[in-house]
Amino acid sequence: MTPPDASHNRWSDLDRPPLNVTALRRGLLRPDALWTSLEVVESTGSTNTDLAERARAGTAAEGTVLVAEEQTAGRGRLERSWTAPPRSGLFLSVYLEPGDIPVERWGWMPLLAGVAAATGLAKAAGVDMSLKWPNDLLVSVEGEERKTGGILGEFAGDGIVVGLGINVSLRADELPAPTAGSLALAGAVSTDRETLLRAVLRSVEHWYGAWKAADGDAAASGLQTAYAAGCATLDRTVRAELPGGASLVGEAVAIDGDGRLVLSTEDGLQQPVSAGDIVHLRGAAGGLT
């Protein structure tokens, strides 16, 4: 008898067991919870694309969670690709409908997800996490800042889809770039993906509830303060590579009420940046990231 192809066996890597969807649903889908459905698929191109299509078709309720064991065409900011070995990370998207909260405040949603993911993972994995504005999750690997996760938000239907990609058990030889990292390489006390996923989703639920209760006011909900406290970009000299090809260099001095990064430039101006790619030039953590 010909043995089955190991590449198609969900248990082919015993260090990376499949998620137990029944246990996840039991722990997360409660009558009073934000999360209303949770689906785990073996493989897909992009959970954000799939869930956004459902939202636009009107078939996704608020609180829908879509998780993939493998993501083959994941998307980061600026349409960068995001791929990783099967079951080596958390690849998920959630659908939220902020409702009557002014749309101009919805821009806080990816930053909210960043705070939630960082706090949830720090507690569950025992790893110090920080945030690179606007949507990267950083860890320290051998004294260097490394990106271990990214967040992408997009409007869809009556709400917003927020996607998270987090490197959990990637080994050094599996990293997609020298600047990448993983929770395992950062010394995580746990890389159990079910534990980590529950921690992240419960943290998102907490912060989303606080933000909605404050009518989307990031200051009143504590979100603005929490983001600034965990943001590795602040108090550093950075280069903002702006849409259209322009760039701006300055010291990152604040996160304003709209979630923008405020740069203090050499000419003394305070310049808010609402979109762009940020390069850490130098600062408290040193180095170039």
Side-chain angles (χ1 to χ4, degrees), residues 139 141-142 144-148 167 171-182 185 288-289:
V139 294
V141 178
E142 298 180 350
E144 293 184 358
E145 280 183 345
R146 301 282 189 89
K147 177 179 175 179
T148 195
N167 294 337
R171 308 171 186 104
D173 61 353
E174 296 174 322
L175 296 175
T179 55
S182 69
L185 292 173
L288 178 66
T289 60

Side-chain angles (χ1 to χ4, degrees), residues 52-68:
E53 288 177 356
R54 296 184 195 180
R56 294 185 183 104
T59 59
E62 180 176 46
T64 297
V65 181
L66 178 62
V67 186

